[in-house]
Amino acid sequence: MRTYIGGQEAVSVNEFIELALGTPLDLWLGVEGESEEERAARLDAARDILAEFPDLPDDVSRVAAQVIEANAPELFNIAPLVRRPAGRRPSHKGGKGAAA
């Protein structure tokens, strides 16, 4: 199954997230080993985006909830519980078998 967001195909989970957010994922999560200067610049850019699009956190939460709802069984490995009726189990205590 192919997934398209805004006419562009998302070929990986990270690409799906980036297309849904409209921004690179690293902008919000940072990258390992970034300097304090890089971190400050990244956070400034994130603040600018949030100032321009104040509904972005709500939109992201809504998209995440929709994805979780649509994929809950796969995400959480949910399997229905089946109760077996209680019954007697056959006894396997040798003794009365047919002789060969």
Side-chain angles (χ1 to χ4, degrees), residues 71-80:
N71 299 292
E74 294 85 16
L75 290 172
F76 299 109
N77 196 20
I78 296 172

Side-chain angles (χ1 to χ4, degrees), residues 49-60:
I49 290 171
L50 288 173
E52 189 173 338
F53 302 101
D55 292 336
L56 183 62
D58 293 335
D59 294 342
V60 170

Side-chain angles (χ1 to χ4, degrees), residues 27-82:
L27 175 69
W28 306 104
L29 301 179
V31 292
E32 191 172 327
E34 71 183 352
S35 69
E36 284 300 315
E37 185 176 290
E38 291 169 326
R39 182 176 188 275
R42 178 177 58 78
L43 293 176
D44 283 343
R47 277 190 283 279
D48 289 345
I49 290 171
L50 288 173
E52 189 173 338
F53 302 101
D55 292 336
L56 183 62
D58 293 335
D59 294 342
V60 170
S61 298
R62 187 173 24 267
V63 168
Q66 290 169 346
V67 168
I68 290 170
E69 182 180 16
N71 299 292
E74 294 85 16
L75 290 172
F76 299 109
N77 196 20
I78 296 172
L81 295 176
V82 178

Side-chain angles (χ1 to χ4, degrees), residues 84-93:
R84 295 185 181 161
R88 295 182 51 114
R89 293 185 180 176
S91 175
H92 296 287
K93 297 180 184 174

